[in-house]
Amino acid sequence: MRNLALKLAKHLDIVERECGPFKVKCLVCKEPNDSFWDLILWADWFDPNERVRLGYLVKKLIKPLGDEELMHFSAMITFGANDDSPFLRSLANIQRKFDQGVYDANWHDEVVQIRSTMPQVAFIVPLGSRLIENTEASSEAMAELAETR
């Protein structure tokens, strides 16, 4: 799951630079013991034509995934500019808090897994540049430690 989150975060960063920001970009699992994760994306810039939107996102986000990542991937669910719900607003709030560093204390294997109180999902993994930055910093620290030995 860790590799799925990291690879998606990197590709989402590229998509954001090309198209604009996401309001929500996270992985969610529905059951506590579930090993399959859904990718939830919400953006104002999404093409209103769902087929065009999904075609673009599959090409940019899903096709680059390897077998290991795909073993944990279940579905991609997208929401456009006209979509709004308490569920999406809650995910957007979690995304904002993650981007502000609120969840640093809960890092597990370089990925934040937030236990959800929402009935739709059990865990939420926010994706974003902070995930990439912390992973790269952790990798650099491990490389430096290996060199000193």
Side-chain angles (χ1 to χ4, degrees), residues 107-137:
W107 284 82
H108 171 70
D109 197 24
E110 302 169 4
V111 176
V112 174
Q113 291 187 14
I114 302 163
R115 182 172 278 288
S116 172
T117 58
M118 295 180 277
Q120 299 96 322
V121 296
F123 287 100
I124 302 162
V125 174
L127 304 172
S129 58
R130 290 194 61 253
L131 176 60
I132 298 166
E133 292 163 6
N134 285 331
T135 302
E136 289 173 353

Side-chain angles (χ1 to χ4, degrees), residues 19-32:
C19 301
F22 290 96
K23 291 180 183 181
V24 169
K25 52 185 176 182
C26 64
L27 289 167
V28 300
C29 72
K30 296 175 185 161
E31 301 294 328

Side-chain angles (χ1 to χ4, degrees), residues 4-62:
L4 173 63
L6 296 175
K7 195 170 257 189
L8 283 173
K10 288 178 183 179
H11 290 287
L12 285 164
D13 188 53
I14 294 166
V15 170
E16 281 188 307
R17 282 187 263 135
E18 291 176 2
C19 301
F22 290 96
K23 291 180 183 181
V24 169
K25 52 185 176 182
C26 64
L27 289 167
V28 300
C29 72
K30 296 175 185 161
E31 301 294 328
N33 297 324
D34 200 351
S35 63
F36 295 104
W37 294 80
D38 294 341
L39 176 61
I40 307 282
L41 300 172
W42 184 22
D44 288 337
W45 55 264
F46 279 158
D47 192 299
N49 180 320
E50 189 173 16
R51 181 178 221 140
V52 171
R53 173 192 322 174
L54 290 176
Y56 173 78
L57 293 170
V58 165
K59 178 180 154 193
K60 292 292 193 172
L61 303 174
I62 308 307

